[in-house]
């Protein structure tokens, strides 16, 4: 069986026009010089690469004329030798640059402008995985917090003010006194406290590269109690360290758990460390900051407050120093959101079935 090269040689000999067309095609490609072969995609935020973060280039002159490139390299090496003998440093630098370019491969990859952006997105995704934040809040943005979804005018007013505080907190984060955070308060469940707190956390993560850790207060206490088992490979201090050292800590539903001396001690341990090290803390609760003093006051076995005990007051004072209280609407939007979600779900479930899919 003849090789492809042999067959091509015969075609050229038998058909001079075919040979000329081959030469013309090669010359046309060579005249293009360097070209980027990567097809732009909408996935790339810069509209340049295919979403991979890299661009594929080809130098047609080098690709089609390897012998000429080799001759050019030899020629410039000789010119460099002459410049070296004359001690012409400027000419030596110029020829070195030419040689460096000639020695490059005919095809190569370069980083797209979106490459760093892509790395940042991957880092944020990694941090979100480590944050413990519920999946439903990982893409939440403060700007997506809707104030018109509340029915009562008073609720819309509170929501608008809370949104303004959240946006200014993010925008002025580097100017705000270190360690200052926010305390989102509403006695009503589903008022939007967690959504807004997580939206701030996501923004601080992406804009300021902060590590964010989310904890549901009740889950924390369960985690720590598990460390007391003999089979546990994790210690209480190892768990607390995560919450003490995170740049930003979101404590969801503080004081919702059954109050106990144990809960108060754990929270105080975390908050005291964060206050001393100027760490940002965002808290959501259905209790006011002042109510925390009574909730976490040390109690006897019958559940009665122990007189002269200041444990609850110490915890309250730390929260009060670390966080600015933000009143959230006394209205739940959870049922309304569920209605919207169920309506969209119904549109899919009851969509007419095409004949071929039956």
């Amino acid at each position: 069986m003849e090789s492809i090269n042999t067959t091509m040689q015969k075609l050229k000999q038998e058909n001079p026009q075919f040979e000329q067309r081959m030469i013309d095609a090669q010359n046309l490609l060579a005249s293009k010089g360097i070209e980027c072969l990567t097809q732009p995609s909408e996935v790339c935020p810069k509209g340049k690469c295919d979403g991979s973060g890299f661009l594929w280039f080809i130098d047609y002159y080098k690709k089609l004329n390897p012998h000429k490139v080799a001759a050019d390299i030899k020629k410039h090496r000789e010119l460099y030798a002459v410049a070296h003998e004359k001690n012409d440093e400027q000419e030596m630098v110029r020829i070195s640059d030419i040689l460096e370019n000639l020695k490059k491969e005919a095809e190569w990859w370069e980083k797209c402008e979106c490459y760093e952006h892509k790395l940042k997105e991957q880092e944020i995704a990694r941090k979100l995985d480590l944050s413990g934040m519920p999946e439903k809040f990982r893409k939440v943005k403060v700007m997506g917090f809707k104030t018109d979804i509340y029915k009562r005018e008073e609720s819309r007013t509170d929501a608008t003010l809370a949104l303004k505080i959240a946006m200014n907190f993010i925008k002025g984060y580097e100017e705000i006194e270190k360690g200052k955070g926010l305390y989102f308060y509403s006695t009503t469940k589903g008022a939007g406290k967690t959504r807004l707190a997580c939206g701030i956390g996501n923004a601080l993560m992406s804009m300021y590269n902060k590590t964010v850790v989310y904890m549901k207060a009740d889950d924390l206490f369960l985690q720590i109690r598990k460390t007391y088992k003999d089979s546990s490979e994790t210690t209480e201090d190892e768990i607390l360290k995560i919450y003490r050292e995170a740049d930003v800590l979101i404590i969801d539903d503080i004081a919702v758990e059954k109050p106990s001396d144990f809960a108060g001690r754990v929270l105080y341990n975390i908050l005291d460390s964060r206050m001393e090290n100027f760490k940002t803390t965002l808290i959501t609760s259905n209790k006011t900051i002042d109510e925390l003093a009574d909730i976490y006051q040390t109690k006897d076995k019958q559940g009665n407050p122990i007189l002269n005990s200041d444990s609850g007051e110490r915890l309250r004072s730390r929260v009060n120093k670390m966080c600015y209280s933000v009143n959230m609407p006394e209205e739940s939007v959870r049922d309304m959101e569920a209605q919207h979600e169920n309506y969209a779900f119904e549109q899919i479930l009851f969509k007419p079935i095409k004949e071929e899919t039956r």
Side-chain angles (χ1 to χ4, degrees):
M1 185 175 178
E2 292 183 343
S3 67
I4 294 176
N5 286 336
T6 303
T7 303
M8 291 295 292
Q9 289 300 325
K10 281 187 177 182
L11 284 171
K12 290 178 181 180
Q13 291 172 4
E14 294 170 1
N15 191 344
Q17 291 181 340
F18 173 76
E19 182 179 13
Q20 186 58 48
R21 287 200 300 272
M22 290 284 292
I23 293 172
D24 291 344
Q26 287 183 346
N27 289 337
L28 179 62
L29 284 174
S31 67
K32 286 186 176 182
I34 298 174
E35 184 179 3
C36 178
L37 298 183
T38 304
Q39 293 297 318
S41 166
E42 293 181 357
V43 179
C44 173
K46 302 294 182 180
K48 292 186 175 182
C49 75
D50 55 6
S52 65
F54 290 92
L55 299 168
W56 176 28
F57 288 92
I58 183 169
D59 187 328
Y60 285 108
Y61 177 80
K62 290 182 181 180
K63 187 76 175 177
L64 300 171
N65 302 288
H67 299 300
K68 288 183 179 180
V69 174
D72 284 344
I73 291 174
K74 181 180 179 182
K75 171 188 171 184
H76 283 85
R77 280 175 175 168
E78 292 171 353
L79 291 172
Y80 184 88
V82 173
H84 186 268
E85 287 180 5
K86 294 180 179 180
N87 200 25
D88 188 342
E89 292 186 5
Q90 186 174 350
E91 181 67 3
M92 287 166 64
V93 170
R94 186 185 72 82
I95 296 173
S96 291
D97 291 341
I98 295 173
L99 278 169
E100 185 179 349
N101 184 56
L102 286 169
K103 289 177 182 178
K104 287 180 180 178
E105 296 291 331
E107 297 180 45
W108 68 95
W109 295 91
E110 289 184 8
K111 292 177 182 177
C112 177
E113 289 179 29
C114 76
Y115 180 75
E116 296 300 329
H117 175 77
K118 197 172 186 68
L119 285 182
K120 186 176 181 181
E121 282 188 336
Q122 291 172 352
E123 177 64 13
I124 290 173
R126 186 187 69 81
K127 286 183 176 180
L128 278 171
D129 285 338
L130 296 173
S131 72
M133 190 181 292
E135 190 70 34
K136 68 178 291 187
F137 296 123
R138 292 188 180 188
K139 293 185 179 180
V140 165
K141 296 183 179 180
V142 169
M143 287 299 294
F145 184 78
K146 298 177 181 178
T147 59
D148 57 356
I149 197 172
Y150 297 91
K151 293 180 179 179
R152 299 200 300 268
E153 183 177 350
E154 181 183 358
S155 297
R156 290 194 294 271
T157 300
D158 287 340
T160 301
L161 181 58
L163 177 60
K164 181 178 181 180
I165 290 171
M167 291 176 64
N168 285 334
F169 183 83
I170 295 167
K171 185 178 179 181
Y173 182 71
E174 293 183 324
E175 301 171 16
I176 293 172
E177 183 182 343
K178 287 185 178 181
K180 289 294 184 182
L182 299 172
Y183 186 99
F184 295 98
Y185 161 74
S186 170
T187 61
T188 305
K189 294 181 179 179
K193 300 186 289 290
T194 304
R195 177 178 291 273
L196 200 52
C198 288
I200 294 173
N202 291 336
L204 298 182
M205 192 186 302
S206 61
M207 293 174 63
Y208 302 105
N209 198 32
K210 298 297 179 181
T211 56
V212 177
V213 170
Y214 169 97
M215 63 172 256
K216 207 161 185 73
D218 207 20
D219 291 343
L220 167 67
F221 306 132
L222 290 174
Q223 285 182 41
I224 292 177
R225 288 187 187 281
K226 287 178 182 178
T227 66
Y228 299 153
K229 295 181 179 179
D230 294 336
S231 59
S232 176
E233 296 180 358
T234 308
T235 66
E236 175 181 340
D237 196 59
E238 285 173 337
I239 291 177
L240 291 178
K241 184 179 180 182
I242 296 171
Y243 301 119
R244 290 193 204 108
E245 297 183 358
D247 295 330
V248 180
L249 176 64
I250 300 172
I251 305 179
D252 196 17
D253 282 343
I254 195 174
V256 172
E257 80 289 343
K258 185 179 179 181
S260 66
D261 295 344
F262 169 73
R265 176 181 66 78
V266 171
L267 281 174
Y268 179 84
N269 185 311
I270 293 171
L271 293 171
D272 188 57
S273 174
R274 295 187 66 78
M275 183 183 74
E276 290 181 353
N277 291 284
F278 305 103
K279 301 287 187 179
T280 302
T281 307
L282 306 172
I283 301 174
T284 74
S285 182
N286 61 4
K287 304 294 183 182
T288 65
I289 293 178
D290 286 341
E291 286 178 308
L292 297 180
D294 290 335
I295 292 171
Y296 291 107
Q297 184 177 358
T298 303
K299 299 175 177 63
D300 59 26
K301 293 181 179 180
Q302 284 71 42
N304 300 313
I306 296 176
L307 298 177
N308 301 321
S309 170
D310 65 346
S311 57
E313 175 56 29
R314 287 192 301 156
L315 192 147
R316 183 210 66 82
S317 68
R318 274 152 183 74
V319 174
N320 190 53
K321 179 173 176 56
M322 296 167 68
C323 299
Y324 178 81
S325 184
V326 181
N327 290 332
M328 293 293 289
E330 291 296 344
E331 179 183 342
S332 175
V333 293
R334 194 171 288 164
D335 289 342
M336 195 175 300
E337 288 178 342
Q339 288 177 8
H340 287 303
E341 291 170 2
N342 289 337
Y343 176 77
F345 190 33
E346 287 175 354
Q347 301 310 300
I348 297 172
L349 294 177
F350 295 101
K351 184 167 61 175
I353 301 174
K354 292 183 180 179
E355 192 67 34
E356 61 271 18
T357 61
R358 289 178 180 172

